[in-house]
């Protein structure tokens, strides 16, 4: 580390460049991607239902895309939560982060509602 104050300021600016990223828009895009993953999962589950008496060939054929979609959806949800918190904590576009959290809450409510009803 040099003793030059301008070099130290430049190094600190380079380390914290991620604070200027548009976290609100990122969170909103990730929440929309989570909804797209949900629709892709619904499509894959509907495609995996075969004819009665046909065995489990259709389920075996869609098993790998189902696992990939679930894993990608989980990563997207975690990324959306992190980006939403960053957008609310940092002064860049907090409305996008709040909208992303609202969409994510709606997604969780839609998934949990059938389990809560008798």
């Amino acid at each position: 580390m040099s003793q030059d104050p301008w070099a130290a300021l430049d190094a600190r600016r380079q380390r914290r460049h991620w604070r200027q990223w548009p976290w609100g828009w990122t969170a909103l895009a990730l929440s929309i991607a989570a909804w797209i993953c949900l629709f892709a999962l619904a499509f894959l589950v509907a495609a995996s239902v075969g004819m009665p008496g046909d065995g489990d060939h259709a389920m075996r054929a869609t098993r790998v895309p189902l696992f990939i979609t679930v894993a990608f959806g989980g990563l997207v949800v975690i990324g959306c939560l992190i980006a939403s918190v960053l957008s609310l904590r940092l002064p860049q576009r907090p409305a996008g982060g709040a909208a992303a959290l609202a969409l994510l809450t709606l997604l969780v409510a839609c998934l949990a509602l059938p389990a809560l009803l008798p």
Side-chain angles (χ1 to χ4, degrees):
M1 188 116 197
S2 71
Q3 297 296 329
D4 183 22
W6 293 108
L9 182 65
D10 190 41
R12 186 171 46 165
R13 240 187 248 133
Q14 287 176 353
R15 278 195 310 259
R16 295 186 180 165
H17 64 84
W18 57 270
R19 290 182 183 236
Q20 304 301 324
W21 291 353
W23 291 111
W25 294 117
T26 305
L28 195 58
L30 287 173
S31 66
I32 291 171
W35 277 94
I36 291 171
C37 282
L38 176 71
F39 290 129
L41 278 173
F43 178 75
L44 286 171
V45 167
S48 68
V49 176
M51 296 294 293
D54 194 23
D56 62 345
H57 300 292
M59 182 62 89
R60 285 185 187 179
T62 59
R63 180 175 47 202
V64 174
L66 275 169
F67 287 149
I68 291 172
T69 307
V70 168
F72 183 70
L75 289 175
V76 163
V77 167
I78 291 170
C80 180
L81 289 173
I82 292 170
S84 296
V85 169
L86 283 173
S87 72
L88 293 174
R89 300 273 300 179
L90 298 174
Q92 283 88 16
R93 296 166 188 84
L101 282 177
L103 280 174
L104 217 56
T105 305
L106 183 64
L107 178 72
V108 170
C110 287
L111 291 175
L113 188 63
L116 296 176
L117 295 175

